[in-house]
Amino acid sequence: MNYYFKRTLQIPLILVAVATLTFGLIRLLPGGPFTQLRIELLQQGVPAEQVDARIEALQNIRPDAPLWQQYIDYMIGVLQLDLGQSISLNEPVISVIARALPWTVFLVVVSTILMFIVGVLLGAIQAYWEGSRFDQIASGGSIFLMSVPYYIFAVIFLFFLAFQLRWFPTGNAVARGLDASQPLQYFSSVLYHAALPILAFTIGGIGSTALNMRGNGIQVLGEEYVEVARLRGLSDGRIATRYVAKNAILPMYTGLLLLIGFRLGGTVVLEEIFSYPGLGYYMIEAVEANDYPLMMGCFLVITATLVVAVYIADLTYGLIDPRISAGESDEY
Amino acid sequence: MSTEPDAADGIDWRSETSDVEMSRRDRLNEFYEQKLYVPAAVAWSDRRTRLGVLILSVYLLMAVVDLLGLWRDASTNQAERFLRPFENMSYPLGTTNSGTDLLALIIDSTPFILQMVLAGGVWATTLAVIVGTVSGYKGGTIDTVITAISDFFMAIPGLPLVIVLAIALSPENPLLLGVVLTINYWAGLGRSIRSQVLSIREESYIEASRTMGTGSVRIIIKDVLPNIMPYVMVNFVLAARYTIFASVGLYFIGVLPYTGQNWGVTLNNGYEQGGLFSMDAFHWLLVPIIAIVGLAFGLVLLSQGMDRIFNPRVRTRLTGESESIEEEETDTTTEMI
């Protein structure tokens, strides 16, 4: 079977599996999906006979139906992008998510690209001048960067640059009252608000990227084909880009797939620190408010985003390295 | 990850039957030389490993101090409020807004953190090794099934899953918490172990074992595992680092259940109760940060140091110390033969 076809087929399968998982997890939560809600509704003075109807509307599950019926209802709801009603914000979960998702994707994409570019460049220079003073200092710096979690950078930036020096805003994604009708102001405000989160999230990842690139670069520089290319008298620029860079960056690509997952999950802490209204922020808000529909909705959408991101990365990987689509393993 | 020790193992195995003089004691000695002493000596020659071990032993020492009760337990109003670090030497790291000794706070939670980190590392790497070797070596249907399962787990972002699980299970035991934190960490690691095993299984000595009719489990343990062990060790350390980052992060934003204090909780308290707004309380943030970064730094140094010994591509091109490493290796192999 064609690799791309197979890979594309996997997407809905994984999404169904993840939705099933969320369905199961909701049932694992303390008090199940309804007890908490039922108590709250009863406390608000909603008559007992209306409570079940309200719960059905909120989570789009009939509490008295058998489990399989609930499951089918839930899956159909997910398929129609109906993730229930947020209890704390009192609006459909999907509209909260639609508002939050772009911010999260924006943070992750920009910071991951920046991290990759800076890390690769740094690592490449280190590999080229291997053993030099610059290499030693940069390696030490990278090791140090690897041991500082990104949220520590976030806290320190927030402390110095936002609270003490007041150079940057301490929360939100864009200034109040601005909308896309003033594109230039809106855009600069978005960048201004995203600067610290992106910076914190980028710096945390540069260390390991640079160290990886350095290792790969050193290996490739020692390969015979690079030696041969030198002997053929090819220019340094050509060797650096065509021979060394391409082969050194390639193995890092698989690592990038894992990294996207790690980084999408990582926005939970990052957005909470910067009060940045992305998916992770709303997820934590939902956790604190016992708002299970919103929490599970955020979880489902973060996962779906990751599935799609990895899929895209996988497809481009196939384009860069043709061997990937040929790999079928034999049985022993 | 050279093939030499394994080739030598093969010779060993034969000489055992023919050479009567090779006693059990000799073999134990040889095993000690080959697998323990030489790698340890090589590791020790690296500055980073030495520093890493030193840092980690400080944390072990802190755990011992706590277990033996050599330092006071943390409690409120045990000292003046907001003492700066080194202002009063009986509270060397200063105090919080409620007059709690920060050093006591850090020491109190060290055993908890170390247990959690160890549990997370062991769980993630053990599972990854089993999954990676079996699916990589066996191939076929088993591989397809295992790969599908780990694809699924890789598709779930770690922290959000941990948050949901933490609400469902409210893990307060450090060992359980370590496992929950790395609940799907094994998937990615298992994937990369699998791809290493894929190339290892094509080696001729594996082929030889297979034609002799050795069982898969034995081949995996005897022939495959020693080859990936260095990689596994390095990743064990990285999984441990991930556990501490994730736990402190989640404690920090307040989504993990906690009964007592620990570094993440201290950080959270410092952050929520004024550490952000004034310089007076900044040390309250700084102390837990240093504790976390220090532990992670020790772990990363150790993994980097180990990587240098095990990773031939980094080793061969490094001049100076790496030459001596290579010499040591050739020495031992010639002795063997």
Side-chain angles (χ1 to χ4, degrees), chain A residues 31-72:
Chain A
F34 319 117
T35 321
Q36 178 80 28
L37 203 66
R38 181 168 279 134
I39 293 168
E40 261 172 45
L41 287 177
L42 287 173
Q43 273 172 353
Q44 285 168 18
V46 180
E49 60 267 24
Q50 281 184 25
V51 167
D52 275 0
R54 284 283 298 275
I55 289 174
E56 191 186 330
L58 283 176
Q59 298 207 302
N60 104 66
I61 286 170
R62 276 171 287 169
D64 47 356
L67 199 64
W68 63 269
Q69 187 75 52
Q70 290 186 8
Y71 176 68
I72 290 177

Side-chain angles (χ1 to χ4, degrees), chain B residues 124-141:
Chain B
T125 32
T126 313
L127 208 57
V129 166
I130 296 173
V131 164
T133 49
V134 170
S135 106
Y137 180 71
K138 294 296 280 185
T141 324

Side-chain angles (χ1 to χ4, degrees), chain B residues 206-222:
Chain B
I206 306 259
E207 182 107 35
S209 292
R210 206 160 42 235
T211 37
M212 287 191 308
T214 316
S216 293
V217 176
R218 201 182 153 78
I219 293 182
I220 288 177
I221 293 174
K222 286 276 172 184

